[in-house]
Amino acid sequence: MMAHHERPATLRDVAAAAEVHPATASRALNPGTRLLVSEETARRVIEVADRLGYRPNPVARSLRTRRSNTIGVLIPDLNNPLFPPIIRGIEDRLAEHGYVALIGNTDSDPGRERLIFDQMRARHVDGFVLATATLNSPILAEAAEAELPLVLMNRTAQDYPFSSVSVDNEQGVRAAVAHLVSLGHTRIGHIAGPQDISTGAARLRGFQEAMRSHGLAVGAADVVYASGYTVEEGLRCGRELLESAGDLTALVAANDMLAVGCYGALDELDLRCPGDVSVIGFNDMPFVDRLRPPLSTVRFPHTLVGTEAARLLIERIESGEGSPVKILFLAPELVARGSTIAIEQSGAVPIRPAARRRGQ
């Protein structure tokens, strides 16, 4: 009996004591493969492993199977409250299948993304979930070439054979514009997201199409381009938009972070939201209902984005090369709050901020 304490119990010891083949013992002890053995066998093997104090060596296992049961998850900005519930969804789904996530925050910096991607590959992650993909990303080309299991999340890339999960961006922005038009707004501006990111391009496209379909003009000064989805860029773009197109009565921001920055720009210019300008965002990230005024926005199920991305990736890993590419679009939903009101209630007489006086 003492023998077991002199050296750690091995998988072979467990298999011998449980009277099963070592491969069966291995399957029973791995949550990802436990369903492949009978419940009765799994229970017996786990009890024996506990009694012998068997500790699987994950590094040895990954060398043997070339499977580390880890997934690399790359996100562009941990400061964005949109991402925690999405990551929560990924981790919940991965845990059910015996995988853990390694999270890398790239700060939307291609050099940092490259470094993290290479380091994760060196650690033999079994696949990637990428929320960072840009339209001409060398990483996507490389992953396609190497046939790495990879799923895009909150991003799409038509040129590559990767499954993806995102919201229907165009439909979401169409709903935002329709909401503003129904409130009587006709001079509507757009703070566009970065155009090398699928969400930025798709939401701008949605804005232009929606305005056209309502017969509304979009002047050159009515769209400004953010270089990133940050509060600072929302502030800069909001300023630029309101100064160059001072007769706007409503703004569609490509995401909530930009909309939050926009609130700051309105404050600086001594304009009220929604009294002078209505603002609508996109994402319904946590806490925007707590802003003053609470932010109208376009919602989609964040946790579901994560669980679906994880599901598609696990499918791809476990069924190998042949699994079909699936492009999922989740339905957006307009959430009207206090930051958008009907133009006749607002008393917003569209005039340039420089000349702004009541009743003019």
Side-chain angles (χ1 to χ4, degrees):
M1 203 45 222
M2 284 306 291
H4 289 305
H5 299 290
E6 287 159 16
R7 62 172 180 75
T10 65
L11 186 64
R12 283 189 190 291
D13 298 334
V14 173
E19 297 173 347
V20 296
H21 191 276
T24 307
S26 168
R27 285 199 185 103
L29 293 170
N30 178 352
T33 53
R34 188 164 296 151
L35 295 173
L36 302 175
V37 301
S38 74
E39 261 184 70
E40 151 64 24
T41 304
R43 195 174 308 115
R44 189 165 78 245
V45 171
I46 290 163
E47 278 167 13
V48 169
D50 282 348
R51 192 174 79 240
L52 299 183
Y54 170 69
R55 287 279 158 277
N57 176 343
V59 177
R61 180 193 290 161
S62 77
L63 287 173
R64 201 169 49 247
T65 60
R66 274 288 180 241
R67 290 275 284 271
S68 59
N69 282 86
T70 52
I71 301 299
V73 179
L74 268 62
I75 54 169
D77 180 13
L78 259 182
N79 289 324
N80 185 336
L82 171 67
F83 287 107
I86 290 180
I87 291 170
R88 182 65 207 261
I90 292 176
E91 292 195 318
D92 288 353
R93 178 56 58 94
L94 289 179
E96 291 169 17
H97 294 267
Y99 291 86
V100 294
L102 283 182
I103 312 284
N105 175 45
T106 68
D107 279 328
S108 300
D109 169 347
R112 208 178 135 79
E113 180 184 26
R114 155 66 55 198
L115 182 71
I116 295 171
F117 180 75
D118 289 346
Q119 289 188 339
M120 286 179 172
R121 278 194 79 181
R123 285 173 172 73
H124 296 299
V125 298
D126 296 328
F128 286 92
V129 175
L130 246 59
T132 51
T134 50
L135 297 183
N136 42 15
S137 162
I139 282 181
L140 294 185
E142 214 171 283
E145 178 66 25
E147 299 182 337
L148 296 179
L150 187 148
V151 169
L152 300 177
M153 181 175 70
N154 207 33
R155 297 281 183 272
T156 53
Q158 280 79 2
D159 305 342
Y160 295 101
F162 298 125
S163 292
S164 65
V165 187
S166 58
V167 62
D168 185 333
N169 291 292
E170 280 100 335
Q171 192 193 331
V173 176
R174 281 199 297 272
V177 171
H179 168 62
L180 293 171
V181 170
S182 75
L183 295 171
H185 295 276
T186 56
R187 291 292 295 123
I188 303 169
H190 182 50
I191 298 181
Q195 294 303 293
D196 63 338
I197 295 177
S198 59
T199 51
R203 289 171 196 174
L204 173 60
R205 210 163 43 239
F207 177 77
Q208 290 164 333
E209 286 166 5
M211 293 290 281
R212 201 163 44 242
S213 76
H214 289 284
L216 299 175
V218 179
D222 299 341
V223 177
V224 292
Y225 295 87
S227 64
Y229 281 121
T230 61
V231 173
E232 296 71 29
E233 276 296 278
L235 185 62
R236 180 186 71 77
C237 293
R239 240 184 243 139
E240 192 183 312
L241 201 51
L242 293 160
E243 280 165 359
S244 61
D247 60 342
L248 296 176
T249 63
L251 300 181
V252 176
N255 88 341
D256 292 343
M257 296 289 268
L258 294 172
V260 170
C262 210
Y263 274 26
L266 289 165
D267 280 345
E268 279 181 11
L269 293 164
D270 200 26
L271 293 165
R272 293 190 326 267
C273 174
D276 297 304
V277 179
S278 284
V279 175
I280 187 163
F282 199 114
N283 282 346
D284 196 31
M285 68 187 192
F287 308 116
V288 294
D289 55 329
R290 296 273 175 248
L291 295 172
R292 284 288 160 267
L295 182 67
S296 296
T297 186
V298 176
R299 169 193 295 164
F300 58 95
H302 305 151
T303 312
L304 191 63
V305 170
T307 50
E308 288 297 293
R311 180 178 68 80
L312 291 176
L313 186 61
I314 290 164
E315 232 172 65
R316 164 71 176 78
I317 291 168
E318 316 234 307
S319 62
E321 270 317 284
S323 61
V325 170
K326 295 182 182 171
I327 313 289
L328 302 187
F329 288 104
L330 302 181
E333 177 197 347
L334 183 96
V335 184
R337 297 194 181 104
S339 66
T340 48
I341 56 171
I343 198 155
E344 53 274 15
Q345 294 172 296
S346 68
V349 185
I351 40 182
R352 307 198 100 62
R356 210 173 58 78
R357 278 201 312 283
R358 279 275 163 263
Q360 192 171 321

